């Protein structure tokens, strides 16, 4: 049994899959560390670690109910994810299929332009850009991806899907006028590409 430690960093692409809002994926960054247990006589390895990311997303909006032009409401979201992954050896330790669960803490959505706070969200008559910032902060995700490379330098592509409703906290606010609209429901979708240096 061999133990290893890795540091990684790269880029992320974040979105929320929802019928409530019209979203546009945004790019961000990701970084973190992981500890790996290499099991030479098994068909898999295992690792656990933590990763931090700053993500961006745009939601369609407008200045008022009389304004028909679409404005991009740009938000920033910070996440911390703790994960445990199994790595199926497709070509020894040089290429693995990675999958496992993740626990996530994320910040509220942060509106980048304060002047857009009172802009209206598309599909709603009175819901403002500032109203939808307080989303659920604790979520459970699943991750699947590929890792390829030599023992020292590896490249990883990873897709992370949120099993829990990241917009659920918005449903607890009874002040929203949601006439003609369903309750808030959305699942996180994140794609990452990173480079890892292992020791």
């Amino acid at each position: 049994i061999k133990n290893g430690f890795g540091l990684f960093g790269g880029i992320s692409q974040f979105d929320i899959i929802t019928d409530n809002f019209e979203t546009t994926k945004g790019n961000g960054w990701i970084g973190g560390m992981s500890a790996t247990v290499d099991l030479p006589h098994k068909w898999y390895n295992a690792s656990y670690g933590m990763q931090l990311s700053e993500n961006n997303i745009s939601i369609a909006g407008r200045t008022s109910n009389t304004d028909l032009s679409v404005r991009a409401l740009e938000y920033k979201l910070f996440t911390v994810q703790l994960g445990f992954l199994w790595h199926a050896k497709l070509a020894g330790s040089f290429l693995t299929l990675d999958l496992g669960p993740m626990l996530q803490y994320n910040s509220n959505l942060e509106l980048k332009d304060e002047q857009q706070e009172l802009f209206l969200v598309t599909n709603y008559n009175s819901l403002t850009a500032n109203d939808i910032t307080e989303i659920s902060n604790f979520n459970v995700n699943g991750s699947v991806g590929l890792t390829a490379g030599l023992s020292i330098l590896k490249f990883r592509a990873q897709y992370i899907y949120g099993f829990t409703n990241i917009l659920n906290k918005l449903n607890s606010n009874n002040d929203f006028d949601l006439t003609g609209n369903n309750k808030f429901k959305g699942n996180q979708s994140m794609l990452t590409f990173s480079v890892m240096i292992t020791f």
Side-chain angles (χ1 to χ4, degrees):
I1 298 177
K2 300 178 182 179
N3 296 322
F5 178 76
L7 298 174
F8 61 88
I11 59 175
S12 66
Q13 187 179 74
F14 180 84
D15 196 9
I16 296 176
I17 302 172
T18 177
D19 292 330
N20 298 103
F21 310 133
E22 296 177 11
T23 66
T24 302
K25 299 174 183 177
N27 297 323
W29 58 262
I30 189 168
M33 60 188 72
S34 67
T36 303
V37 178
D38 185 5
L39 305 171
H41 303 297
K42 299 288 186 179
W43 57 269
Y44 63 90
N45 294 331
S47 71
Y48 58 92
M50 177 180 70
Q51 57 191 36
L52 313 174
S53 66
E54 182 181 272
N55 308 286
N56 297 284
I57 186 174
S58 295
I59 296 176
R62 61 194 187 282
T63 59
S64 67
N65 283 322
T66 58
D67 180 11
L68 300 180
S69 61
V70 178
R71 308 296 179 95
L73 310 175
E74 296 185 349
Y75 295 89
K76 183 167 57 176
L77 180 75
F78 184 77
T79 66
V80 181
Q81 296 165 334
L82 300 176
F84 183 87
L85 299 177
W86 289 273
H87 307 275
K89 301 175 184 178
L90 302 180
S93 61
F94 302 107
L95 178 64
T96 61
L97 173 65
D98 318 319
L99 64 145
M102 285 185 165
L103 295 177
Q104 172 177 301
Y105 171 80
N106 52 263
S107 67
N108 291 330
L109 289 173
E110 181 183 340
L111 192 61
K112 293 184 179 181
D113 186 353
E114 293 182 357
Q115 296 182 351
Q116 293 184 329
E117 287 185 352
L118 298 180
F119 281 23
L120 298 177
V121 178
T122 296
N123 300 331
Y124 296 87
N125 293 325
S126 61
L127 192 69
T128 68
N130 194 54
D131 286 338
I132 63 173
T133 56
E134 294 188 10
I135 59 176
S136 300
N137 300 120
F138 292 94
N139 291 280
V140 178
N141 307 327
S143 171
V144 61
L146 291 171
T147 300
L150 303 175
S151 58
I152 297 176
L153 184 66
K154 294 182 180 292
F155 299 90
R156 174 172 291 175
Q158 188 177 45
Y159 177 71
I160 301 168
Y161 178 80
F163 293 131
T164 50
N165 181 5
I166 197 170
L167 302 179
N168 188 52
K169 190 176 179 181
L170 297 176
N171 292 316
S172 63
N173 193 326
N174 296 321
D175 296 329
F176 295 157
D177 180 8
L178 304 180
T179 304
N181 292 280
N182 296 323
K183 286 189 174 182
F184 295 103
K185 186 180 187 306
N187 300 88
Q188 170 182 306
S189 175
M190 183 188 294
L191 186 63
T192 71
F193 297 94
S194 58
V195 178
M196 178 185 294
I197 298 176
T198 60
F199 305 94

